Each structure stands twice: as C-alpha cells, then as structure tokens.
Amino acid sequence: MNRKKTRVVKVGNIAIGGDNPIRVQSMTKTPTVDIKSTVRQIKRLAKKGCEIIRLGVPDKESALALGKIKKASPIPIVADIHFDYRLALIALEQGVDKLRLNPGNIKNPKYISLIAKEAKARGVPIRVGSNAGSLPKEILEKYNGLTPEALVESALHEVRLLEDNDFTDIVISVKASSVPLTVEAYRLLSQKVDYPLHIGITESGTVFPGTIRSSVGLGILLYEGIGDTIRVSLASSPDKEVEVAYEILDSLELRRKGIRVIACPMCARSHFPVQQVAKEIERKFKNYPLNLVVAVMGCEVNGPGEAKWADIGITGSKDRVIIFRKGKIIKETNFRNIISELEEELDKIKEVNSN
Ligand code: SF4
C-alpha cells in the first residue's frame, strides 16, 4: 500500500496528511446549543479514540456556543457551516480549530474571501466539503447530472477561490452515498491535488448496511493510498462511527487500537461457544493498552494450528478450555476462568514488552 503524498495540515494539535496516521473523526449528534450534552458526547468519543470532532452550526446560537465547547473539549473541534458565511466568522471568533464549508452553498467569492482572511489570521484550516446532495446547479448542468467530475469540479472551484486569497491550509472531501461514485471522485481528486483528503461515504445508512458501504468504499480508497482522515457516517450513535473507523483501519493494518479479536467461523467440529467468548473478550479488552491479536477458535484439533500467527488464542470443548500462544498450548483452565486467565497472560506479555 503506497500512501499518496499529501501536505500536512494542522487541526489544533492534530496533524492530518503527510506521514501522519490516518485520523479518525466523527460528528456530534446533540444540539450544539446544548453545551453540556455536546461536551459529554465529545469526551466519550475522545476516550474511544476519536481525534477530531465536527459540530453542526445551524444558527447563531450554535455558533456562539462553540467557545465554551472548545474550552472543554479534549480534541480539536470543527465547525460545519452551510449557507451563512457569518456563522463561519463567529465560529472563528469562538476559537474553533477548523471550518468545514460546503461549496454548494457558500460560493460568493466576497464571502469566501472574508472567511479565508479571518481563518488565515488565526491559523485555522478549512475543509472544502463537496457533497453529492448539494452540488451547484450550473455544475450539474455542465456535467449532465451527478458525476465524479462534477463533484471534483465543485470542490476545486472553491479551493481556487481560497487559493486566490492566498489560503492553502486546505483539506478536501467529495462525498456521495454511492460507493462507486465516491471512489471515482476521490481517485480523480487525488490525481489533481496534494491537499490532504477527508474521505467518507455520506448518508451510508443504519449500522449494518452503513458499515458495509463505508468499509467497501473507504477500504478501496485507503488500499490505493488515498485518504488522510476518515469519517464513517452512520445513522446511529457516533460511538459506532468511531468503532467502525478503527475496524476499517485495522483491517488494512493501517492503525490498530487495543486488542483485535479474531474468531473462526465454526463448523461441524466446533464444541466451543466461539461467538459468546469472542464478544466477551472484545468487551472486556477493548481498551487494553497493547496491540495484540487474540484468536477464539472453535476446536482444539485445528484451532491452535490455524491461529498460530495470533499472539494468544483460546479454544476448547464444553468445560475444558485451553489457552495457546503462537500455536502452542500454555495453559488449561475451565470456562468460568477464561477472562481472568487470559488477562493474566496478556499482562505477562505487557510486562515483557515494557522491559
Ligand atoms: S477452528 Fe475448528 S471449529 Fe473453527 S473452523 Fe477450524 S476446524 Fe472448524
């Protein structure tokens, strides 16, 4: 996987692009005016590994709430602005770390210039976030409908307006809910610019289909080296968005967070409750401070061999449970003690790693 070289853009204390890790971001789902709930949600997401958080700014009251939220937030905050350039100016005054502008609905060069000047003076980057649902009419007419080229042109038009104001602290996105359209648009965009790209499939759906669509779309792009920060959009809690984002990055071995539990699919040989044990381990060790792979396998005959590349594994039958490391059985225990015995073994590995 060769990552496309992009410029580095700093969002508060988090750098996007270049050789920096692919950043995970999400969006709050509370009303921004409800400062208390919003801060609570941000803190919870930050604990899960969310590195940048975006907030909708539908009105002046929401824009004026950003300062307090910024002060309480452990991660950089991004103001999502549509239609009204004045909200962008208030958000900047409130000290946000980044702006997101939709080129489909803030396109007057005079207003872009005002925002660019103010953002530049404060060292705040701007994401130009083109969205299939809000492309300008003239671009749709030019391309005879929604195409990858139309999405890219809409974004690049706004990028040029910013550049005309000597503003280059830019991140770009070209999202659609169609996976093929999004993939093609990002491929095209990535050939044309070296700004860092924020990638995502927009309105991807509820948890199950949305996770699959996002994984397919973002998986293709990331595997091709495209994308510097990801947001998984789900009609669900933002916690799920962050979890799915890390699973996608982990699947491509780009980033890992905590223990990765792999599990065999089970077959006629299985006499071990793989699903139940795997879920319990996932829950218990989600935030374990080591990047390790734990395998849960369905039988003792093939399990240890099939999962010998895992750092540690568990299998057994009925009440007999065996724990193995790199394919070799190291311990036998019973069903009740699975978690405590596993924890003991993980702690031993942690101990060795820390010496
Ligand atoms: S580990 Fe055992 S139970 Fe699981 S798929 Fe392989 S043979 Fe079947």
Side-chain angles (χ1 to χ4, degrees):
M1 245 178 292
N2 272 338
R3 185 153 164 213
K4 161 95 200 267
K5 268 264 165 270
T6 51
R7 305 179 193 197
V8 175
V9 166
K10 279 201 87 182
V11 183
N13 59 351
I14 296 286
I16 300 178
D19 293 326
N20 290 292
I22 292 157
R23 301 298 186 184
V24 171
Q25 54 177 295
S26 185
M27 198 162 176
T28 52
K29 304 197 178 186
T30 48
T32 302
V33 282
D34 182 349
I35 296 174
K36 218 167 136 194
S37 310
T38 303
V39 168
R40 200 183 310 128
Q41 192 166 71
I42 295 175
K43 286 187 172 165
R44 204 178 66 225
L45 293 169
K47 265 199 190 140
K48 282 192 172 285
C50 179
E51 296 167 295
I52 297 169
I53 189 75
R54 182 158 49 113
L55 298 89
V57 186
D59 48 31
K60 193 172 169 191
E61 289 67 38
S62 304
L64 288 170
L66 293 169
K68 282 195 178 136
I69 295 171
K70 159 74 190 161
K71 278 200 192 88
S73 173
I75 51 176
I77 71 165
V78 183
D80 195 63
I81 309 288
H82 294 252
F83 302 106
D84 190 346
Y85 76 98
R86 288 167 301 187
L87 298 179
L89 297 177
I90 299 173
L92 288 169
E93 262 168 40
Q94 293 282 314
V96 296
D97 300 289
K98 184 177 163 205
L99 290 178
R100 181 270 169 130
L101 302 181
N102 182 333
N105 50 42
I106 297 189
K107 46 191 174 183
N108 185 327
K110 197 170 80 190
Y111 299 150
I112 300 285
S113 172
L114 279 174
I115 298 170
K117 285 203 179 84
E118 198 52 40
K120 188 166 176 138
R122 295 171 186 270
V124 171
I126 296 176
R127 168 160 68 99
V128 173
S130 208
N131 193 312
S134 52
L135 285 190
K137 207 169 72 206
E138 55 283 6
I139 290 187
L140 286 172
E141 276 165 12
K142 178 175 168 188
Y143 289 96
N144 213 2
L146 183 56
T147 62
E149 292 77 12
L151 264 170
V152 170
E153 180 161 327
S154 155
L156 291 186
H157 176 74
E158 187 111 331
V159 167
R160 266 176 240 121
L161 290 178
L162 290 171
E163 288 172 342
D164 289 347
N165 285 280
D166 202 20
F167 189 93
T168 54
D169 213 4
I170 299 170
V171 178
I172 313 177
S173 64
V174 281
K175 297 187 193 177
S177 59
S178 152
V179 170
L181 176 61
T182 308
V183 168
E184 286 304 326
Y186 275 106
R187 280 178 177 157
L188 189 63
L189 179 63
S190 143
Q191 285 163 14
K192 289 179 184 279
V193 294
D194 66 352
Y195 290 116
L197 302 186
H198 163 128
I199 60 172
I201 305 295
T202 196
E203 297 124 20
S204 64
T206 53
V207 175
F208 185 67
T211 297
I212 292 175
R213 275 182 210 124
S214 295
S215 306
V216 171
L218 300 188
I220 294 170
L221 289 169
L222 291 167
Y223 193 71
E224 292 178 6
I226 298 170
D228 301 283
T229 175
I230 70 174
R231 191 251 169 141
V232 173
S233 309
L234 295 176
S236 177
S237 80
D239 305 61
K240 279 271 170 283
E241 296 187 355
V242 174
E243 284 167 25
V244 172
Y246 272 102
E247 284 297 330
I248 292 172
L249 294 174
D250 185 39
S251 306
L252 291 166
E253 296 171 15
L254 289 167
R255 281 190 90 171
R256 186 178 295 168
K257 192 172 174 293
I259 297 286
R260 170 148 60 115
V261 181
I262 58 154
C264 87
M266 298 183 282
C267 68
R269 282 205 167 84
S270 176
H271 294 289
F272 190 67
V274 171
Q275 197 180 349
Q276 180 194 334
V277 173
K279 277 197 169 153
E280 181 62 14
I281 295 173
E282 275 170 2
R283 196 187 57 76
K284 173 78 188 171
F285 298 107
K286 204 163 10 182
N287 295 316
Y288 195 79
L290 270 191
N291 291 337
L292 294 174
V293 176
V294 175
V296 183
M297 307 300 282
C299 72
E300 330 172 34
V301 187
N302 291 342
E306 282 180 18
K308 66 168 173 277
W309 59 273
D311 295 293
I312 195 155
I314 287 190
T315 185
S317 60
K318 296 194 183 107
D319 225 27
R320 182 179 130 89
V321 173
I322 58 168
I323 297 183
F324 55 91
R325 280 207 66 186
K326 305 283 177 196
K328 294 215 163 55
I329 296 173
I330 52 166
K331 195 178 256 182
E332 195 167 312
T333 182
N334 58 39
F335 205 75
R336 253 176 301 118
N337 297 335
I338 288 182
I339 296 296
S340 59
E341 295 282 6
L342 181 63
E343 190 159 21
E344 201 179 302
E345 291 308 315
L346 289 172
D347 287 346
K348 279 188 204 161
I349 301 175
K350 189 165 73 177
E351 183 89 21
V352 172
N353 281 15
S354 65
N355 288 334

